[in-house]
Amino acid sequence: MVRYLLYGRDTCPFCNHAEDYFISAGLEYHYLNMSTEPAEIARCKEFFGRETVPIILENCLTTGKTKMIGGYSDLMEYVCQDD
């Protein structure tokens, strides 16, 4: 079983697209809205080596293993691999 972690801001259109995708696909996700915490989103960007949001991770609930997906475009490429 997998869930996705979405670090983003509610003012970011790509963050909103990613959330819309998770909802429409019926996937479990947790949205960490960092809109009111610019210093925290800066730390997340630095930690994950990303310049923009969203930052999307896949987390296996069975093993605890977490894998970086990337941003919204990366998410779309990732889910299309399964087709």
Side-chain angles (χ1 to χ4, degrees):
M1 179 172 226
V2 178
R3 78 169 160 199
Y4 294 88
L5 304 174
L6 169 61
Y7 291 82
R9 294 188 297 254
D10 58 5
T11 57
C12 166
F14 291 102
C15 299
N16 295 329
H17 292 321
E19 184 175 32
D20 290 343
Y21 171 76
F22 291 134
I23 291 169
S24 68
L27 298 172
E28 184 177 345
Y29 75 100
H30 184 69
Y31 187 12
L32 298 133
N33 186 350
M34 312 294 260
S35 291
T36 61
E37 303 175 48
E40 189 62 30
I41 196 69
R43 281 191 286 273
C44 287
K45 286 179 184 179
E46 182 179 343
F47 180 81
F48 291 113
R50 304 289 300 176
E51 294 184 15
T52 61
V53 291
I55 299 168
I56 302 168
L57 309 172
E58 180 182 70
N59 175 235
C60 178
L61 298 174
T62 306
T63 65
K65 181 179 177 185
T66 302
K67 174 173 134 179
M68 167 68 78
I69 301 296
Y72 176 71
S73 299
D74 302 310
L75 173 65
M76 293 297 95
E77 287 178 28
Y78 183 75
V79 297
C80 287
Q81 291 176 4
D82 294 335
D83 291 345

